[in-house]
Amino acid sequence: MVFSLYGLAFVAQLTLAHAAATGRCRSQPGDPGYPTEADWDKLGAQVGGQLVTVAPSAKACIALQCTEAQWLSGLYRETIPGAMNSYNWEQDYLASPPAMCLQNGTTCSQGMVPVYAVNATTAAHIQAGVKFASAHNLRVAIKASGHDYLGRSTAKGSLLLWTQYLQNVTFTDSFLVGGVDQGSAVTVGSGVGLKTIYAATAAVGKIVVGGTAATVAAGGGYSQGAGHSALGPIYGLAADNVLEYQVVIASGELITANAVSHTDLFWALRGGGAGSWGVIISATFRTYPAFQVTLQQTTITTNSSDQTAAVMAAHAKHVFDWDGVRAGQYFYLTNNADGTSSLALSTIFSNLTGADALAQLAPLMTDIKALGASVSGEDGTITALANYVLGFADDPSGVNLVLGSRLIPATAYHDPTKVGAAYKTLIDGGAQRILGHLVAGGKVSENANISSAITPKWRTAKTHIIVVTNWDDDATAAEVESIKQTLTNEYVPTLANLTGESDSGSYSNEADAREPNWKTTLYGGNYPRLLSVKAAYDPTDLFIVTAGVGSDRWDAYGLCTV
Ligand SMILES: Cc1cc2nc3c(=O)[nH]c(=O)nc-3n(C[C@H](O)[C@H](O)[C@H](O)COP(=O)(O)OP(=O)(O)OC[C@H]3O[C@@H](n4cnc5c(N)ncnc54)[C@H](O)[C@@H]3O)c2cc1C
Ligand SMILES: *[C@@H]1O[C@H](CO)[C@@H](O)[C@H](O)[C@H]1NC(C)=O
Ligand SMILES: *[C@@H]1O[C@H](CO)[C@@H](O)[C@H](O)[C@H]1NC(C)=O
Ligand SMILES: *[C@@H]1O[C@H](CO)[C@@H](O)[C@H](O)[C@H]1NC(C)=O
Ligand SMILES: *[C@@H]1O[C@H](CO)[C@@H](O)[C@H](O)[C@H]1NC(C)=O
Ligand SMILES: *[C@@H]1O[C@H](CO)[C@@H](O)[C@H](O)[C@H]1NC(C)=O
Ligand SMILES: *[C@@H]1O[C@H](CO)[C@@H](O)[C@H](O)[C@H]1NC(C)=O
Ligand SMILES: *[C@@H]1O[C@H](CO)[C@@H](O)[C@H](O)[C@H]1NC(C)=O
């Protein structure tokens, strides 16, 4: 059956792989109409030879003779076009049996890994790739670092628009938007990782609002989700600090989105969800003069879930202590197999001395010690440039994991015992890691009047809490499914319950890919407007990602409409 939609002819496949009998389907290898070798060669020539075939990371690593350290390195993996950091997203668990390509495995299926990639170094390469994908009705994936926790940067049978090598970094003291000087800013290619940005800002005495990672691409997925940072209480979310995007939209046109040009797209790109709008070429962020922060790191060890709950209740009681100095904090709880738990507390105090930082934490530490928990590293502090402290040398990668989260409103912290009880429920239920982020409040709340697609739940949040769960390669498909169900049906609802809200919100970049009410949970009341922006800029749904705007029109592979 052939019918015409949006001026293009689509072939609807009535096969099992293309299950939606009434829908339209993207063209897959083997389909009539799928690009021929000659077509691909033509695209290859258009992109100056920067068209590459893509293999799953385990297969690529055999050819590359990767060491184990490289396999586990985010910096290394981002050089492999088919690699995801959480490499479970390369596997097709939806197939029966699952189509896998595991490290040291004896067989390898392409799984969810793209077929070809445009290894772009210019906007023109991306434009050629977008036009080719449209003309040939291809499934598209966009990837910068491959960090995505929802697997949104890989797609079965797709053409990958790979932005990793868009590596420009340009500073200016006066960035103009519509002729109005917005002050100091940095424009980064969408492949530039935070480690590179932080080194560049340090060299010129500036800082940007960024996350704690090495390879996360600030102009890739990070700011499209919102972008949280330990500097959030001082400067707001990363997306609050974006002045402009250069983006290739579905038509293949390269446009500028800012406060005066394509303002509706600019609104959507800031918080409306990664990967749904177009291919970002570069993003411009405000910069601020560099300043010193003091990092204080403590590890608290508890010996039972009751004691952990008491410690987390004490933490909740003190969570507003640092509002006056606008500190950011990571409170990462790891539950060990022997029933003990370790809480790694990292607090970032801007412009405070080590002694002042310790004084800020003293009331919390007194309460924690009174509960009998064992405390180490309490007296140490590190004082250094802000972005130096935020960045990482590398990011752990090459593992199987999924996560889910909730934005926890300040109101939930008015009852600390309830917070402790939620932690106890999670620990007793087997949750492995519970990552707390005190990255909201302060300027994040004060920026509520900025008109962007950031879910309003960020503006009332005090913390963002993630439950992470992982598995080894030897887990059976049934075990993996059970792990995912426990996350979706037990851990995330426990966090949702803690919010005390019936319409609780989650951060779209660090959310459960199976979030049942994802339209509300990830986008809140912005969803209808996001749909209309999507219709205006991507009328054929070229850019479809899991739990992204418009994705419910497509099957789980993004291959056929439903
Ligand atoms: C170690 C680690 C630390 C993190 N720390 C933080 C943190 O401190 N704060 C925070 O907010 N988040 C953090 N995150 C989450 C991070 O924001 C998301 O994983 C984010 O999606 C990464 O974006 P990316 O482009 O690097 O990843 P990718 O996997 O390459 O892409 C992620 C999404 O963005 C889309 N995308 C990528 N490039 C482009 C582009 N050029 N144009 C359009 N769409 C694109 C992809 O299609 C996909 O949907 C962290 C993640 C990790 C793994
Ligand atoms: C694969 O083999 C390497 C080298 O022997 C080893 O270090 C690694 O742990 C193995 N990985 C898995 C998942 O078995
Ligand atoms: C992608 O392009 C960059 C820049 O030209 C190059 O350094 C890199 O090796 C290429 N990667 C692949 C996998 O082709
Ligand atoms: C990178 O910067 C150079 C010099 O300013 C510019 O000519 C080029 O277009 C930029 N590339 C991209 C992909 O933005
Ligand atoms: C830190 O102090 C410097 C120098 O006084 C100042 O410019 C900067 O705004 C301060 N930063 C914060 C976050 O308070
Ligand atoms: C846990 O620590 C508390 C406080 O130090 C102590 O009273 C209790 O005996 C410990 N329990 C176990 C099982 O070690
Ligand atoms: C929700 O929280 C309340 C109050 O803390 C608690 O009593 C209840 O058991 C929780 N429910 C679930 C399903 O976790
Ligand atoms: C938001 O409110 C603040 C403080 O009231 C004000 O300075 C700022 O200009 C406002 N911003 C917008 C976008 O309305």
Side-chain angles (χ1 to χ4, degrees):
M1 171 170 77
V2 178
F3 61 96
S4 187
L5 193 59
Y6 306 119
L8 287 174
F10 295 100
V11 181
Q13 304 288 315
L14 299 173
T15 65
L16 257 187
H18 297 168
T22 54
R24 66 178 169 102
C25 292
R26 296 294 180 197
S27 183
Q28 287 285 285
D31 286 354
Y34 189 75
T36 62
E37 287 303 318
D39 293 328
W40 287 112
D41 286 348
K42 204 174 146 200
L43 175 62
Q46 280 174 356
V47 300
Q50 295 287 99
L51 182 71
V52 295
T53 54
V54 184
S57 60
K59 188 175 175 183
C61 261
I62 293 171
L64 293 163
Q65 297 186 290
C66 301
T67 63
E68 181 67 5
Q70 286 170 329
W71 175 266
L72 299 172
S73 157
L75 286 169
Y76 187 79
R77 292 182 74 83
E78 70 181 2
T79 67
I80 302 175
M84 293 293 286
N85 276 262
S86 305
Y87 98 120
N88 46 298
W89 297 115
E90 297 177 29
Q91 323 301 338
D92 181 0
Y93 290 101
L94 300 172
S96 185
M100 315 286 283
C101 187
L102 297 176
Q103 189 194 22
N104 309 335
T106 51
T107 60
C108 177
S109 295
Q110 192 74 6
M112 294 298 207
V113 175
V115 183
Y116 284 96
V118 172
N119 180 9
T121 57
T122 67
H125 293 163
I126 294 294
Q127 291 177 284
V130 166
K131 286 177 185 163
F132 185 87
S134 281
H136 293 277
N137 183 31
L138 300 180
R139 173 83 167 103
V140 153
I142 314 169
K143 182 166 75 121
S145 71
H147 255 321
D148 200 64
Y149 287 123
L150 297 85
R152 295 172 299 182
S153 37
T154 190
K156 189 184 191 68
S158 64
L159 170 61
L160 175 65
L161 304 171
W162 190 27
T163 61
Q164 173 61 37
Y165 291 92
L166 297 176
Q167 285 286 335
N168 274 1
V169 178
T170 314
F171 289 93
T172 176
D173 288 328
S174 54
F175 189 78
L176 300 181
V177 174
V180 178
D181 189 352
Q182 304 293 320
S184 179
V186 63
T187 299
V188 294
S190 57
V192 184
L194 289 172
K195 183 176 182 166
T196 303
I197 298 175
Y198 292 160
T201 52
V204 296
K206 295 178 177 183
I207 60 116
V208 292
V209 177
T212 41
T215 58
V216 163
Y222 175 72
S223 70
Q224 290 179 83
H228 66 73
S229 169
L231 301 179
I234 302 169
Y235 293 125
L237 293 160
D240 295 342
N241 287 281
V242 173
L243 296 171
E244 182 172 294
Y245 291 102
Q246 299 285 333
V247 48
V248 174
I249 56 174
S251 65
E253 199 186 342
L254 173 64
I255 65 171
T256 297
N258 61 28
V260 298
S261 165
H262 297 287
T263 54
D264 49 352
L265 184 61
F266 187 52
W267 175 86
L269 281 165
R270 290 170 299 149
S276 299
W277 311 104
V279 186
I280 296 170
I281 302 300
S282 67
T284 302
F285 294 88
R286 262 190 210 101
T287 65
Y288 300 93
F291 55 91
Q292 303 274 108
V293 304
T294 293
L295 169 67
Q296 200 287 330
Q297 289 174 292
T298 302
T299 303
I300 295 140
T301 307
T302 46
N303 65 11
S304 67
S305 63
D306 283 323
Q307 198 184 48
T308 310
V311 164
M312 296 319 298
H315 178 263
K317 182 183 140 200
H318 288 281
V319 84
F320 300 101
D321 284 11
W322 316 294
D323 286 2
V325 294
R326 301 200 171 215
Q329 184 183 72
Y330 300 99
F331 47 106
Y332 283 13
L333 186 73
T334 303
N335 298 312
N336 307 310
D338 64 0
T340 63
S341 297
S342 313
L343 174 66
L345 205 62
S346 305
T347 316
I348 292 106
F349 294 100
S350 297
N351 279 342
L352 286 198
T353 63
D356 287 345
L358 293 178
Q360 287 283 334
L361 287 164
L364 168 65
M365 299 319 296
T366 300
D367 279 1
I368 285 178
K369 279 183 276 185
L371 295 166
S374 121
V375 173
S376 68
E378 191 194 355
D379 299 330
T381 60
I382 301 165
T383 301
L385 281 182
N387 280 171
Y388 172 80
V389 169
L390 292 181
F392 285 163
D394 199 351
D395 296 324
S397 288
V399 295
N400 302 298
L401 69 78
V402 286
L403 52 71
S405 68
R406 277 297 178 274
L407 293 163
I408 310 296
T411 49
Y413 281 93
H414 295 153
D415 185 356
T417 56
K418 200 179 155 193
V419 178
Y423 272 88
K424 181 170 162 54
T425 302
L426 290 170
I427 300 163
D428 290 347
Q432 293 161 325
R433 284 191 295 149
I434 307 165
L435 310 183
H437 302 75
L438 178 47
V439 290
K443 193 71 173 173
V444 173
S445 301
E446 291 156 21
N447 278 345
N449 62 353
I450 291 179
S451 177
S452 74
I454 291 168
T455 170
K457 294 294 180 190
W458 264 114
R459 307 304 184 185
T460 50
K462 186 65 190 167
T463 67
H464 157 54
I465 300 184
I466 305 176
V467 180
V468 183
T469 183
N470 47 287
W471 62 90
D472 293 332
D473 281 354
D474 58 9
T476 64
E479 285 164 347
V480 172
E481 179 56 25
S482 154
I483 284 167
K484 290 177 179 172
Q485 287 193 12
T486 302
L487 176 75
T488 305
N489 302 332
E490 293 175 31
Y491 301 156
V492 177
T494 299
L495 291 178
N497 185 39
L498 173 60
T499 68
E501 301 169 326
S502 58
D503 62 343
S504 59
S506 176
Y507 174 34
S508 63
N509 275 347
E510 295 177 325
D512 180 4
R514 296 182 174 190
E515 195 57 74
N517 299 313
W518 56 267
K519 290 183 189 176
T520 315
T521 306
L522 306 186
Y523 308 106
N526 291 327
Y527 197 79
R529 184 170 169 194
L530 286 166
L531 261 185
S532 71
V533 177
K534 175 91 178 159
Y537 288 90
D538 183 18
T540 66
D541 281 350
L542 192 60
F543 306 114
I544 285 295
V545 296
T546 298
V549 172
S551 61
D552 55 336
R553 295 190 280 251
W554 293 82
D555 65 13
Y557 290 111
L559 284 173
C560 292
T561 58
V562 293

